[in-house]
Amino acid sequence: MAVTFRREGATAFVMLDNPPVNAIGIAVRDGLDRALHWVSSEAGLDRVILMAAGPTFAAGGDAREFDADPMPPHLPDICNRIEDSFVPWIAAIQGAAMGGGLELALACRYRIAAPGAVLGLPEVMLGVVPGAGGTQRLPRLVGVAKALAWVPSGKGITAVDAKAARLIDELDDDPVDAAEMMNTEWLGMAVPVGELNTGNVSDDEFTQARAIAEKKMRGQTAPLRAIDLIETATKVPLAEGLAAERATFLDLRSGVQSRALRHLFFAERGARAPKEVSGTHPAPLEHVAVVGGGTMGAGIASACLNAGLEVTLLETDADGAARARSNVVRIVDAARERGLIDAATAEHRYARLTTTEDYGRVRAATLAIEAAFESMDVKRAIFAKLDDALSPDAVLATNTSYLDINEIAKSTRDPARVVGLHFFAPAHIMKLLEIVRGDASSPRALATGYDLARRLRKIPVLSGVCDGFIGNRILARYREAADTLLIDGTNPWELDEAMVAFGYAMGPYEAQDLSGLDIAHANRRRQDATRDPNRRYVPISDRMVAEGRLGKKTGVGWYRYPGGGGKVVDPLVEDLVREEAHFAGVRRSEYTSEVIQQRLLLAMINEAASILDDGIAACPSDIDLVTVAGYGFPRWRGGLMHYADTLGPKRILDDLQSLAAEDPVVWSVSPLIERLASDGRAFADLNGTK
């Protein structure tokens, strides 16, 4: 049963038992309803201890129920009955009390938590607001300022911080035992949270909270609605505030943003090794070799150190090894300075790092990750050395962003041990890891990639071999479409502003300035020999590089960065664009923000559909994970393919066919879109094929 209850003397025990995380679905609500009826019929009780089986108190509502009509008993009613109970309830919290789990605790008369517990109201992460009293009871208990800091951000807090904020009453290693031992008179004096008031609050606090939400969670509806509800808690009685909260929750639950965020939530939970790999034992991960100590290699090494692995970082010479160590130390020191780790943890990471130019010192490594310069000759030479230096059982991985893994694997005696592990910069922060399967990659090599992703807490997505794999192939088409709009009638800042308005943190040209224009330039030169001569080529980026405008690192790119600070518009770029358009014989037009968005998004959707049709990606939800976790697609839109389904394949087909009249080569419609439109199906229908 999802909820069990029993009595020992004057104490009743109500236990949540819905593994793995005690999600508060219909079975738990039914059980709590039965428990409340039972408590009301039992004479002589002086307390009810609400506890949990397993390591988690309750991780919140069951998101799988959000697409159906709400089923009674409803959690707000359960919480109200707990708060109004003649017999006081005590929440004994271990593990996590999140969302509805914390709302149950807020309804209790007293709250005791283990020191390692985590508490929070993360509902905005699913596009909704707390729906069972969180926005109304929390500000009454901890004050409006803390409620405004926690609820609109979805931020979780430790039990220690919760005790300091008076969200919980006691810390104890055994919360259930502490609840049993609590003085009955003290418990009787505990005031229900709903009877407290928020105190006087200035309008400035809400104005500031809205400004923060609009900046940090730009485009999202739920955080602002949560702030409105916290403000409501300061102005109306509890019952009226609870009614407003419930109505808002139900309204948002059926909205497009909540559906998109729920889609990503389940996509992330489903990001696991394919069936043919499951059950295969990975290489043991204790000692990892990383080849290349630049920005990417240092980030990969730091991510491995963060996960408790031993790391040997290889460079070409002693000076390079010294620079590599400095790069890693800089990352670790930054984490310490920000308070993310303490000095002892930093020293422990330094102790597990070795930097060297001697391949003989990595013989014990069970996984090697190459993160060197993006050159096939360089990578072949490195893999030949790794093949000689490491045990035949070790897995060899490349972090290449574009190059053919099958060609790299030919440099080894056993190509089956080679796999692609494409990290994203900064590698110690970004959550995405593309696991690239070569023609010969063994299940063990792939399983090792997935195990590393688990250890590093990254989201793994399997990709086949093609130029750019999943993410960079879409990115290349995005940039190509942007460059075409640029020469045909707009400028970098208008393009950037349009995509920021759509929900990206930055547009394509500011992003290029951040990464460096020389990186994309080198990739274009690699493609020169195989580029379709019938495909339009825009040389503006090449000219930027030729003039030394490489981006933020040189102080000038598509924008200027005076003194290394924020970007400013550079009129010289617009002159350069107009000059190139003149050379190309282009008659320039004006494009609205809506047209810019439409063309860039259609370009990406069409390319992504071809990636699916080619079998490079297993399913549309994998592309959603890649575009959100690796390339800044707005999370609250659910990812590129989920967004495509909001348009519908038939509309996408019509729009692409209109654009194909302008340029039938670059706008050639993916056959998959044609089939889906013809069959009346959606991209989401393909997710079950993974």
Side-chain angles (χ1 to χ4, degrees):
M1 297 177 67
V3 177
T4 59
F5 40 88
R6 72 183 194 277
R7 176 173 182 165
E8 294 182 11
T11 299
F13 298 87
V14 176
M15 179 179 289
L16 306 177
D17 191 5
N18 185 33
V21 293
N22 287 325
I24 307 173
I26 182 64
V28 170
R29 298 197 304 274
D30 275 336
L32 288 170
D33 178 64
R34 288 186 291 102
L36 280 159
H37 284 295
W38 172 74
V39 167
S40 66
S41 68
E42 291 287 305
L45 292 175
D46 65 19
R47 72 195 62 197
V48 179
I49 300 175
L50 180 62
M51 55 192 289
T56 301
F57 181 74
D62 189 341
R64 293 172 296 183
E65 295 182 356
F66 280 22
D67 289 322
D69 291 335
M71 294 284 292
H74 305 299
L75 187 59
D77 298 330
I78 297 290
C79 289
N80 290 343
R81 288 164 60 193
I82 289 174
E83 185 169 75
D84 295 340
S85 172
F86 179 75
V87 182
W89 286 53
I90 306 171
I93 301 168
Q94 59 193 26
M98 308 299 286
L102 181 54
E103 287 175 306
L104 283 171
L106 286 168
C108 293
R109 202 69 55 86
Y110 207 79
R111 287 154 294 282
I112 305 172
V118 179
L119 304 91
L121 294 169
E123 284 86 348
V124 295
M125 301 301 184
L126 289 179
V128 294
V129 295
T135 67
Q136 303 304 297
R137 290 191 175 95
L138 187 68
R140 285 174 162 85
L141 182 61
V142 303
V144 168
K146 290 184 173 60
L148 287 173
W150 298 339
V151 181
S153 68
K155 177 184 177 182
I157 60 168
T158 66
V160 173
D161 289 340
K163 174 66 166 62
R166 289 187 270 187
L167 172 55
I168 60 173
D169 299 285
E170 287 185 38
L171 289 173
D172 198 283
D173 290 332
D174 189 339
V176 175
D177 182 64
E180 288 184 80
M181 299 297 293
M182 184 182 173
N183 184 284
T184 304
E185 292 185 12
W186 291 358
L187 181 59
M189 291 186 291
V191 179
V193 173
E195 294 181 12
L196 303 174
N197 63 68
T198 62
N200 296 322
V201 183
S202 72
D203 291 341
D204 290 345
E205 289 196 57
F206 296 103
T207 300
Q208 183 178 8
R210 290 185 178 97
I212 292 172
E214 287 171 351
K215 179 181 179 181
K216 293 188 175 180
M217 305 186 81
R218 186 169 40 81
Q220 298 188 48
T221 302
L224 295 173
R225 298 287 291 275
I227 293 169
D228 292 343
L229 288 167
I230 294 170
E231 187 172 18
T232 296
T234 69
K235 297 178 178 178
V236 303
L238 179 67
E240 190 175 335
L242 291 173
E245 179 190 71
R246 182 65 175 173
T248 302
F249 169 80
L250 293 174
D251 176 51
L252 292 174
R253 191 178 81 157
S254 61
V256 293
Q257 290 193 7
S258 183
R259 286 197 296 271
L261 289 165
R262 292 200 302 273
H263 163 71
L264 273 179
F265 172 77
F266 288 115
E268 289 173 351
R269 287 180 60 179
R272 57 177 66 95
K275 293 178 181 177
E276 64 267 29
V277 175
S278 60
T280 302
H281 292 295
L285 289 179
E286 299 300 333
H287 182 183
V288 175
V290 178
V291 184
T295 300
M296 181 59 77
I300 294 171
S302 297
C304 293
L305 292 171
N306 294 352
L309 303 177
E310 180 182 349
V311 176
T312 299
L313 191 50
L314 279 160
E315 260 294 350
T316 55
D317 53 34
D319 288 343
R323 286 192 300 271
R325 185 173 187 86
S326 295
N327 290 339
V328 176
V329 167
R330 192 178 304 115
I331 293 171
V332 176
D333 284 350
R336 180 177 50 78
E337 289 166 6
R338 292 175 58 198
L340 301 177
I341 59 174
D342 57 23
T345 302
E347 289 299 326
H348 188 50
R349 291 179 185 176
Y350 301 147
R352 285 184 282 108
L353 173 66
T354 301
T355 55
T356 181
E357 71 277 20
D358 181 4
Y359 276 73
R361 298 187 65 181
V362 298
R363 189 164 300 279
T366 52
L367 170 66
I369 305 171
E370 169 272 316
F373 181 68
E374 198 76 339
S375 159
M376 181 61 76
D377 290 341
V378 169
K379 292 181 187 296
R380 282 173 173 159
I382 289 171
F383 270 76
K385 290 181 180 179
L386 290 172
D387 197 40
D388 289 337
L390 271 69
S391 160
D393 292 332
V395 172
L396 309 182
T398 174
N399 179 60
T400 182
S401 302
Y402 293 96
L403 300 180
D404 188 339
I405 288 172
N406 296 319
E407 287 299 314
I408 295 172
K410 290 178 182 177
S411 304
T412 68
R413 288 182 288 270
D414 180 13
R417 70 198 295 209
V418 177
V419 66
L421 295 179
H422 180 209
F423 289 79
F424 291 75
H428 58 293
I429 295 175
M430 295 291 283
K431 300 293 288 182
L432 178 65
L433 178 62
E434 279 185 323
I435 299 177
V436 186
R437 172 166 43 194
D439 291 345
S441 297
S442 68
R444 184 173 182 269
L446 293 169
T448 303
Y450 277 94
D451 193 42
L452 181 69
R454 179 188 62 81
R455 294 282 293 268
L456 303 188
R457 298 184 179 180
K458 293 190 182 294
I459 299 168
V461 174
L462 186 65
S463 172
V465 175
C466 69
D467 199 292
F469 314 126
I470 297 173
N472 278 338
R473 180 169 158 181
I474 295 171
L475 178 65
R477 179 68 186 103
Y478 175 52
R479 288 177 170 174
E480 179 186 43
D483 282 351
T484 302
L485 283 168
L486 183 64
I487 197 169
D488 283 351
T490 184
N491 58 54
W493 33 98
E494 288 177 351
L495 281 154
D496 283 353
E497 287 168 3
M499 298 315 290
V500 168
F502 179 76
Y504 278 86
M506 63 181 69
Y509 292 102
E510 184 180 0
Q512 284 186 55
D513 272 0
L514 195 62
S515 61
L517 276 67
D518 51 330
I519 295 174
H521 176 77
N523 190 52
R524 290 194 299 275
R525 298 292 71 80
R526 181 181 60 81
Q527 296 171 324
D528 283 342
T530 57
R531 183 174 293 110
D532 182 353
N534 296 313
R535 194 175 187 100
R536 185 179 180 189
Y537 184 78
V538 178
I540 295 175
S541 295
D542 296 339
R543 183 168 166 189
M544 295 280 288
V545 172
E547 296 186 4
R549 306 176 72 98
L550 304 185
K552 195 169 184 179
K553 61 187 175 184
T554 59
V556 60
W558 297 105
Y559 299 86
R560 284 194 174 274
Y561 300 88
K567 69 181 189 299
V568 296
V569 168
D570 187 352
L572 292 177
V573 170
E574 196 160 16
D575 292 341
L576 184 152
V577 169
R578 290 183 180 278
E579 191 173 272
E580 288 296 326
H582 172 73
F583 293 154
V586 172
R587 182 176 294 177
R588 305 187 84 225
S589 305
E590 290 187 3
Y591 295 99
T592 65
S593 178
E594 291 74 19
V595 170
I596 291 170
Q597 291 173 4
Q598 180 205 37
R599 292 195 175 212
L600 296 185
L601 291 161
L602 284 172
M604 289 191 286
I605 291 167
N606 196 38
E607 191 67 31
S610 294
I611 287 170
L612 283 168
D613 217 26
D614 294 344
I616 301 301
C619 60
S621 63
D622 280 355
I623 293 177
D624 289 332
L625 291 175
V626 169
T627 53
V628 170
Y631 293 88
F633 194 91
R635 184 179 182 87
W636 50 272
R637 291 192 186 272
L640 181 65
M641 306 318 286
H642 182 88
Y643 172 75
D645 274 342
T646 68
L647 303 176
K650 180 63 172 66
R651 176 180 165 185
I652 291 169
L653 176 62
D654 291 343
D655 289 345
L656 286 171
Q657 287 175 335
S658 296
L659 292 169
E662 297 179 13
D663 188 334
V665 176
V666 297
W667 293 110
S668 176
V669 181
S670 166
L672 176 59
I673 293 174
E674 293 177 328
R675 293 198 302 272
L676 292 176
S678 175
D679 297 343
R681 302 175 70 204
F683 286 105
D685 295 329
L686 305 178
N687 281 326
T689 63
K690 183 175 180 179

